[in-house]
Amino acid sequence: MSIEISPSGQPFAASVTGLDLSQPVSPDLVQEIRNAWLKHHVLAFPRQSISDDDLERFTRLFGPFGDDPFIAPIPGRKHIIAVKRAADETAPIFAETWHTDWSFQATPPAGTCLYGITIPPEGGDTLFANQHLALEQMPDSLRHRIEGRYAIHSARNAYAPSGAYGESDRAAGRSMDIRPSADADATQRHPLIKPHPETGRDALFGCAGYIIGIEGMDPAESWDLLSEIYRWQTQPQFQYRHKWQSEMLLMWDNRSLLHMATGGYKGYDRLLHRTTIGST
């Protein structure tokens, strides 16, 4: 079996055709997909009619399952969560801010798989920002200020009971099964600049949101620097905009990207199933 890898025409990302992910994938093809993933950072697999079993099997080809805190898995599964929104839902769009998945963990996940089941006819694009490019094009004056520094990551602003997805959000009738917890108050330190564990290429890691401060800096000074980094790392020249189709599987590299959801599909149901590729 041969596959075709077609670059998106944007700064990064590619589509992969010529294989059926409802069937087992040979080790040679797995390596070819991994190489393309590391090169393009986002891979889209259109026209894939797959089950939850298939989604889990594909995920395991690229690492162990990651731990998904604060969001309950779908019934009967341990490793699949539903990213969903009802047509009449009024709660804010889930994940409509730039972030790196679960960067507040001691060992953040390597990647994420997301499979489109119910896709509205408009809106709902996912945006990605390449953090290799953002670092490589960063002005020396800014880069010198962050080299060697560690960021303090935490889920408290999102998933603590008082956070954005806390008790008041549950009361707003969100259809996703989010479970806020005091565990979100925990913190974890990561360098602002991290080499990719497979390619060795340096990238910015994380952004304001899950990053709540910079080690060794007072809060006001660290927030000013985090804001400056955020404005730089999320610029359009570093972005890829992904347009969804039903029966499309997407996988992205959590170690080299930021991403965010977008709205624009009011009045339509939306459902995707998500797995997390853990780090080895």
Side-chain angles (χ1 to χ4, degrees), residues 189-209:
R189 64 195 289 272
H190 294 293
L192 281 163
I193 299 174
K194 290 180 74 170
H196 192 288
E198 293 189 67
T199 67
R201 188 180 178 190
D202 283 343
L204 293 170
F205 183 71
C207 67

Side-chain angles (χ1 to χ4, degrees), residues 29 48 50 80-81 93 130 136 148 169-170 181 248 274:
L29 271 181
Q48 296 291 337
I50 61 173
I80 297 176
I81 63 175
I93 300 293
N130 186 318
E136 289 160 4
D169 185 72
R170 288 179 67 87
S181 167
M248 172 180 278
R274 193 183 100 169

Side-chain angles (χ1 to χ4, degrees), residues 118-124 244-245 264-272:
T118 303
I119 302 299
E122 59 189 24
W244 283 94
Q245 303 167 8
Y265 52 94
K266 185 177 180 180
Y268 294 99
D269 290 329
R270 187 172 186 265
L271 174 64
L272 305 95

